[in-house]
Amino acid sequence: MGSYHGDNPARHLLRQSLITEETYYSAVAESCGVPFLPDGSFRPLVVGDVVMQFGEGEAGPLLIGIESGRPIYAVAPALEDVADMRTLLQRHPDWSSCIRVTTPSALRIAITVLRAPAGELEQRFPEMSARERITPGQYSGLSMLSSGFAAGMILPLETQAFAFSLVVGMSCISTGCGRIVSAVRASALALCDRVEPHFGGDASGSADEWPLYTVLVPLYREAAVVPGLVAALASLDYPQERLDIKFLVECDDHDTKAAFSGLLFSHMEVVVVPDGRPRTKPRALSYGLAAARGEFVTIFDAEDRPEPDQLKRAVRRFRASPDKLACLQASLSIDNAGDSFFTRQFAMEYAVLFDQMIPWFSSEGWAFPLGGTSNHFRRSALIEAGGWDPYNVTEDADLGIRLARFGYDSAALNSTTFEEAPVTWKVWYAQRARWYKGWLQTCFVHLRDPGLLLKQAGLAKTLPMSILIAGSLVTLAVHPLFTLALVGYCLGLWGLPLTDGLVGQMVVILSGLTASVGYGAAVFASLTAARRRGIPLRILDLAGIPLYWLCASLAFYRAIWDFVVRPHHWHKTTHGTARNRLLPVANTIS
């Protein structure tokens, strides 16, 4: 091809968006007399986790299959090489049966993403993948919101104050009421599996009566906790010959892999996850799912200590439930609450969430974001829903919503897994920032088409969860500002020049109601949850809740920054730092 004002004409058309990349390369394929492959329609042939790519860059050729004993290659020639490729195929027409033309972007995705199994979700359900941070439509929506916010800044001060107090009030009061209701309901709530139906296998029954169960344990730089982890999983009250325990270790984590030497039982194995990006827990889980053999699949983290009969409880619950029950979430409980301020607050937080809030949502049949561990799945349902999203750094929250969109139910499991909470500010802050970034990812993914979300999951399932997540995020965003304004007003550091008017009085009343309901509900829910879980509390622990929320807001602001500059980066949480892990005598909440 000739030049166009010093440039390749095709490049000029593409840069100016006069034609799309797919339109151009489909025309190239037609001119060369070979088929065209659109984005996502092919995968690379992988041998021993190595992509069969010949050549460099995004041109190929990439081996994608074998047909009638002949290799099939996908190519995306550089713009300057199109004419040469056409000439080459004219000279050797028999080569045409081996060549497929695609776009450079499609070839790049195939090489970097669709390396089975980590690219399963993106290939099958790209609209539910967090690989793309924000869609063009969402950019437009954010621009409109920003413009509206800027326009609101020119409104009278009393109008701004009323709008701010109204937004804060709605978020805090809604989440506060949710905490109160869940706390009240928890004391009287009979979990569905409290009286477990009899299923053939029991302590005296045949091992063959229990289904094969896969346990996935993702690890990265966890050599120090390996002995305790293996011992904890070896003590599971489940027939060993029906267990399939897989420790998922990254290929460059030689220390962790070596730590298993001489410790593994016959039903355990180490699965080495090949190098790739993004380096995340859900990517490792995708490889584990591909190797899983069990009818049911669960996840445990490196520091987890599940109750020994948890798998049997899950099997009984699944067997007694319809097939649309895809996931059971066991309670997570912190067993090193006495280590620091953060561990005590973390323990109260988990007790409220897993012993009160999630059981309440479960009893009502509402969707809820899963915890990062002790999720028990029907493997068939997990595969149908696309597994875990390697690009979402809170793959658990995302998967809980996605299962609901596929028509599946999730429920609480009356069993406990004990975990250690981060002891220091640095570790807690990094972990919490990752969680909030994942919440943002999850919100943007599932709000790409709100109408479709409601159609798939239904209003009854999604509305309570939306209120919970949205209320939490708004509260995190405005809590420091609200606290500063409220404390300053109460101390007389500044006043509102509008307090003599009706609007000003409404602002004061609404702010007082927000503070009393928001903080009061948190204290009430924490007290009831801690009492049921057997966590000793001090007055300082309850008084420290607002300070803990301020720390959480700082982590949320960090999450926003990370979401913009490095959305798929995984903040690694260091385990094995607890000073004193104590397992309560009464383990199961009833």
Side-chain angles (χ1 to χ4, degrees):
M1 293 184 178
S3 63
Y4 185 83
H5 296 295
D7 196 4
N8 184 294
R11 181 174 289 106
H12 174 79
L13 294 173
L14 290 168
R15 284 178 175 173
Q16 298 300 317
S17 299
L18 299 176
I19 61 172
T20 66
E21 190 180 53
E22 189 164 286
T23 299
Y24 174 74
Y25 277 93
S26 63
V28 170
E30 183 178 358
S31 69
C32 293
V34 298
F36 173 74
L37 298 177
D39 187 4
S41 65
F42 63 96
R43 284 192 180 212
L45 191 63
V46 179
V47 178
D49 294 318
V50 177
V51 172
M52 295 292 99
Q53 179 190 8
F54 306 93
E56 299 179 353
E58 300 169 359
L62 175 69
L63 184 62
I64 61 174
I66 306 291
E67 292 183 6
S68 301
R70 305 192 66 178
I72 304 299
Y73 298 96
V75 299
L79 302 181
E80 295 80 5
D81 298 331
V82 168
D84 293 338
M85 188 185 79
R86 184 167 56 243
T87 301
L88 185 65
L89 291 177
Q90 289 172 350
R91 293 177 180 174
H92 304 278
D94 55 319
W95 290 5
S96 298
S97 60
C98 301
I99 299 297
R100 306 290 186 268
V101 170
T102 187
T103 64
S105 59
L107 203 64
R108 180 176 63 253
I109 290 174
I111 293 171
T112 60
V113 176
L114 300 183
R115 297 175 55 176
E120 186 71 17
L121 178 69
E122 186 172 0
Q123 184 190 45
R124 294 171 56 199
F125 312 110
E127 72 282 0
M128 295 188 184
S129 169
R131 185 174 191 270
E132 182 182 11
R133 185 172 45 215
I134 303 177
T135 64
Q138 290 173 330
Y139 271 117
S140 300
L142 290 174
S143 298
M144 294 176 62
L145 286 175
S146 300
S147 299
F149 180 80
M153 297 301 291
I154 64 175
L155 294 174
L157 179 61
E158 63 179 18
T159 304
Q160 294 183 39
F162 178 75
F164 177 75
S165 60
L166 183 63
V167 170
V168 176
M170 290 177 61
S171 62
C172 290
I173 292 173
S174 62
T175 54
C177 289
R179 289 190 177 99
I180 293 173
V181 173
S182 68
V184 172
R185 289 288 304 276
S187 60
L189 184 63
L191 293 177
C192 296
D193 58 351
R194 179 179 297 174
V195 180
E196 297 172 335
H198 178 72
F199 166 65
D202 58 24
S204 60
S206 169
D208 292 338
E209 296 179 7
W210 294 99
L212 189 62
Y213 217 118
T214 294
V215 178
L216 302 179
V217 188
L219 302 161
Y220 187 55
R221 298 177 181 173
E222 304 281 8
V225 302
V226 164
L229 172 64
V230 172
L233 296 182
S235 67
L236 289 173
D237 179 20
Y238 203 86
Q240 287 192 0
E241 58 269 34
R242 307 303 295 164
L243 276 175
D244 172 35
I245 299 179
K246 299 186 184 299
F247 300 100
L248 312 176
V249 180
E250 297 291 340
C251 62
D252 62 348
D253 191 2
H254 306 296
D255 291 341
T256 301
K257 184 178 179 181
F260 285 100
S261 179
L263 298 179
L264 295 179
F265 293 80
S266 59
H267 58 291
M268 302 176 178
E269 69 171 319
V270 174
V271 176
V272 177
V273 179
D275 190 26
R277 293 292 181 272
R279 177 70 68 83
T280 60
K281 172 184 173 181
R283 180 178 180 272
L285 289 173
S286 297
Y287 279 90
L289 181 60
R293 298 183 291 115
E295 178 183 351
F296 301 106
V297 177
T298 189
I299 307 163
F300 292 126
D301 283 341
E303 80 279 15
D304 286 356
R305 301 296 180 263
E307 288 185 312
D309 67 341
Q310 187 172 119
L311 271 59
K312 285 186 175 180
R313 285 176 175 264
V315 169
R316 292 184 180 118
R317 180 69 181 276
F318 276 126
R319 289 290 191 245
S321 304
D323 289 344
K324 73 172 186 174
L325 178 63
C327 177
L328 294 171
Q329 173 66 63
S331 292
L332 305 181
S333 180
I334 299 303
D335 57 21
N336 66 322
D339 280 353
S340 70
F341 167 78
F342 290 103
T343 59
R344 287 192 292 273
Q345 295 293 328
F346 208 124
M348 289 192 296
E349 190 177 29
Y350 260 31
V352 170
L353 177 61
F354 288 100
D355 297 336
Q356 294 182 166
M357 192 70 71
I358 286 180
W360 173 42
F361 273 50
S362 173
S363 68
E364 299 291 344
W366 299 334
F368 55 85
L370 304 177
T373 178
S374 302
N375 329 116
H376 299 259
F377 300 96
R378 295 186 194 270
R379 183 163 65 96
S380 57
L382 186 57
I383 292 174
E384 181 183 343
W388 295 275
D389 182 0
Y391 289 93
N392 194 311
V393 297
T394 52
E395 76 294 338
D396 41 10
D398 166 66
L399 186 54
I401 300 174
R402 185 153 27 95
L403 286 171
R405 296 185 67 169
F406 276 80
Y408 287 109
D409 292 334
S410 299
L413 177 65
N414 190 23
S415 181
T416 298
T417 296
F418 296 96
E419 290 193 321
E420 68 171 80
V423 176
T424 65
W425 154 258
K426 181 179 179 180
V427 178
W428 178 91
Y429 176 69
Q431 182 191 69
R432 195 53 60 101
R434 171 170 60 82
W435 288 3
Y436 293 150
K437 179 173 65 174
W439 283 20
L440 291 173
Q441 286 180 310
T442 300
C443 289
F444 278 105
V445 165
H446 293 285
L447 290 178
R448 288 171 178 171
D449 189 340
L452 181 60
L453 171 64
L454 291 176
K455 180 180 179 181
Q456 291 174 334
L459 181 63
K461 276 190 175 183
T462 56
L463 183 60
M465 179 177 58
S466 300
I467 293 175
L468 172 66
I469 294 178
S472 299
L473 292 179
V474 171
T475 301
L476 288 168
V478 302
H479 177 64
L481 299 176
F482 178 78
T483 302
L484 181 64
L486 186 64
V487 171
Y489 179 79
C490 292
L491 295 178
L493 300 179
W494 51 73
L496 293 175
L498 40 112
T499 51
D500 293 334
L502 176 62
V503 174
Q505 294 297 329
M506 291 176 63
V507 169
V508 173
I509 294 172
L510 185 57
S511 298
L513 184 64
T514 298
S516 58
V517 173
Y519 298 137
V523 169
F524 175 71
S526 297
L527 275 173
T528 57
R531 185 181 301 116
R532 297 181 70 244
R533 181 52 76 176
I535 302 172
L537 290 185
R538 306 171 304 180
I539 296 298
L540 286 177
D541 297 330
L542 299 175
I545 291 177
L547 176 61
Y548 186 67
W549 287 0
L550 287 174
C551 295
S553 293
L554 293 178
F556 178 68
Y557 299 152
R558 169 67 181 273
I560 295 175
W561 172 260
D562 281 353
F563 180 73
V564 174
V565 301
R566 49 178 186 175
H568 307 129
H569 174 73
W570 187 277
H571 284 293
K572 174 71 177 69
T573 301
T574 303
H575 300 129
T577 60
R579 303 187 185 101
N580 189 21
R581 298 191 67 178
L582 298 175
L583 301 186
V585 176
N587 291 344
T588 301
I589 294 298
S590 60

